[in-house]
Amino acid sequence: MNTDLQDFSHKRYNILTGEWVLVSPHRTKRPWQGKQEDVANEARPAHDPDCYLCAGNKRINGEQNPNYKDVFIFTNDFAALQVNTKQFSLNEGLLKAESESGICKVICFSPDHSKSLPDMDVKDIVKVVEAWQNEYQTLGAKKEINHVQIFENKGAIMGCSNPHPHGQIWSQSSIPNEVLKKHKSQKKHWDAHKSSLLGNYLVQELQLNERIIYQNEHFVVLTPFWAVWPFEVMIAPKQHQKNILEMNMEEVTAYAEAISVLTNAYDRLFNCSFPYSAGIHQAPTNGEANKHWHWHMSFYPPLLRSATIKKFMVGYEMFGTPQRDITAEQAVDRLKSLIK
């Protein structure tokens, strides 16, 4: 391992976005007197009569949830995107705007209010993955939908308003900023080399074995070389696949296993229900071949030193570039030791 990367300030290049992250490993020695978050580790019931996501309960809009037994999906009652929004554009000098339409859905992972992904059996996470596949295919087939974003916010400090195990799916008419950056970088590499940018990166990472947390036959769980968040992790298929529909049943199970292993390690790290934002980046549904895409799932957790110390993206991060203290390799060593 390059020891200079562990001892001296430097910047690392993100091949997927074309951006840099500043790494300052020497800063891990500084004392901490900043804000500490409260730990919310209270036991939750399997069913909460006041939860609008629990089976059989009424939601805020008055609709009643069915008595679902595994995965339940519905259109978000307070969607950020409107299906039948008025079509318009504004182009007046330096003022530019365009209407944006889409469909937002909520996906409940389990009827058990007390659980989160690490508490679920792999076979139950498989049902979540199959639901993701179905929604990606169904929403993406609509002419007006050019991108489907699957994500989960876990924990109150990540803005999650309800502890019931759930995620969201936003589908829209345009390709959002972060996806567009990766779209362009992967296409540039594909056009030049006729091979997957992320696939080639995974080959190098597997050879080095410095940032690999876990792997099975089909998937790699690693902290990217350019990671921004303290314990950021990516799950990616070893084989070149442009979207989650290209997985067979064996691969779906292997993917669910990777999610389970990672999220359980997260919970052991600081002995808490570990918060994060996670999302799947995959090929747009814009009718193009998109052969250059190699799909992956990223986890961005905010915790830094303990269950009560959070990494804040402020100051230099807001006005300069993302910055981290703990190196990717140090984070991997901690997470890898917690795999069971």
Side-chain angles (χ1 to χ4, degrees):
M1 185 182 294
N2 188 326
T3 56
D4 288 347
L5 295 176
Q6 309 306 315
D7 297 327
F8 301 103
S9 60
H10 61 279
K11 59 181 183 177
R12 301 191 185 194
Y13 185 67
N14 185 332
I15 60 171
L16 290 175
T17 65
E19 298 173 338
W20 294 86
V21 54
L22 177 65
V23 184
S24 314
H26 55 287
R27 277 167 53 93
T28 56
K29 301 178 178 66
R30 67 181 176 139
W32 181 265
Q33 291 181 313
K35 178 176 174 55
Q36 296 194 19
E37 303 284 348
D38 293 330
V39 180
N41 271 341
E42 75 280 0
R44 300 199 307 271
H47 183 275
D48 183 347
D50 297 320
C51 171
Y52 57 82
L53 296 181
C54 277
N57 289 357
K58 278 190 178 182
R59 301 203 301 276
I60 295 174
N61 68 350
E63 291 186 32
Q64 187 167 10
N65 298 328
N67 287 310
Y68 61 95
K69 303 302 180 184
D70 40 60
V71 178
F72 169 52
I73 301 173
F74 63 92
T75 300
N76 197 319
D77 301 326
F78 301 95
L81 292 162
Q82 298 167 302
V83 180
N84 299 314
T85 187
K86 179 183 176 182
Q87 298 297 305
F88 66 90
S89 64
L90 172 70
N91 198 343
E92 298 177 359
L94 298 179
L95 306 179
K96 186 175 181 179
E98 295 178 0
S99 57
E100 180 75 358
S101 62
I103 302 168
C104 296
K105 293 192 173 183
V106 175
I107 170 170
C108 296
F109 300 154
S110 167
D112 193 330
H113 185 80
S114 68
K115 290 185 175 181
S116 59
L117 285 174
D119 305 311
M120 295 169 58
D121 293 334
V122 169
K123 63 180 177 60
D124 293 321
I125 299 177
V126 164
K127 295 176 183 177
V128 174
V129 175
E130 289 175 326
W132 286 340
Q133 289 179 310
N134 183 63
E135 290 298 319
Y136 176 81
Q137 183 174 44
T138 303
L139 292 167
K142 296 181 182 294
K143 184 179 179 181
E144 67 276 16
I145 298 298
N146 290 303
H147 177 71
V148 178
Q149 182 60 61
I150 298 167
F151 66 97
E152 177 197 3
N153 293 323
K154 181 190 173 191
I157 66 173
M158 298 308 296
C160 184
S161 59
N162 190 311
H164 193 100
H166 75 285
Q168 297 187 55
I169 304 171
W170 290 16
S171 57
Q172 61 191 99
S173 56
S174 66
I175 302 174
N177 296 340
E178 290 303 305
V179 182
L180 196 56
K181 293 175 192 174
K182 295 185 177 183
H183 184 74
K184 292 177 179 177
S185 294
Q186 290 182 98
K187 190 172 191 311
K188 182 179 179 181
H189 185 90
W190 182 272
D191 290 344
H193 304 283
K194 297 298 182 239
S195 60
S196 160
L197 172 62
L198 189 56
N200 292 345
Y201 167 71
L202 293 179
V203 169
Q204 186 174 353
E205 286 286 26
L206 286 166
Q207 289 173 342
L208 291 171
N209 196 28
E210 293 176 355
R211 285 166 291 276
I212 306 299
I213 299 168
Y214 169 82
Q215 62 174 306
N216 55 34
E217 184 179 354
H218 300 289
F219 283 86
V220 182
V221 181
L222 78 161
T223 293
F225 180 74
W226 55 83
V228 171
W229 294 94
F231 293 96
E232 179 178 330
V233 171
M234 175 189 292
I235 300 177
K238 293 180 178 179
Q239 296 299 315
H240 178 209
Q241 297 176 344
K242 65 183 181 181
N243 60 49
I244 59 176
L245 294 180
E246 296 187 356
M247 287 187 289
N248 59 32
M249 195 60 231
E250 181 180 315
E251 291 166 328
V252 166
T253 302
Y255 176 36
E257 179 186 74
I259 292 173
S260 178
V261 167
L262 171 61
T263 54
N264 272 283
Y266 271 159
D267 278 9
R268 295 186 194 109
L269 182 61
F270 295 134
N271 194 29
C272 68
S273 184
F274 201 78
Y276 57 74
S277 278
I280 299 172
H281 276 167
Q282 55 189 323
T285 57
N286 55 0
E288 298 178 8
N290 293 315
K291 293 180 180 179
H292 56 283
W293 261 93
H294 192 130
W295 77 269
H296 51 283
M297 184 178 194
S298 296
F299 289 76
Y300 301 153
L303 298 185
L304 176 60
R305 299 189 181 199
S306 70
T308 63
I309 297 179
K310 178 183 175 183
K311 163 70 176 177
F312 290 93
M313 290 293 184
V314 295
Y316 184 81
E317 289 91 348
M318 283 185 170
F319 298 103
T321 196
Q323 181 272 339
R324 62 180 288 141
D325 296 347
I326 179 176
T327 66
E329 297 75 27
Q330 291 166 343
V332 166
D333 287 344
R334 303 239 352 231
L335 288 171
K336 198 172 182 178
S337 69
L338 297 168
I339 300 295
K340 294 182 178 179

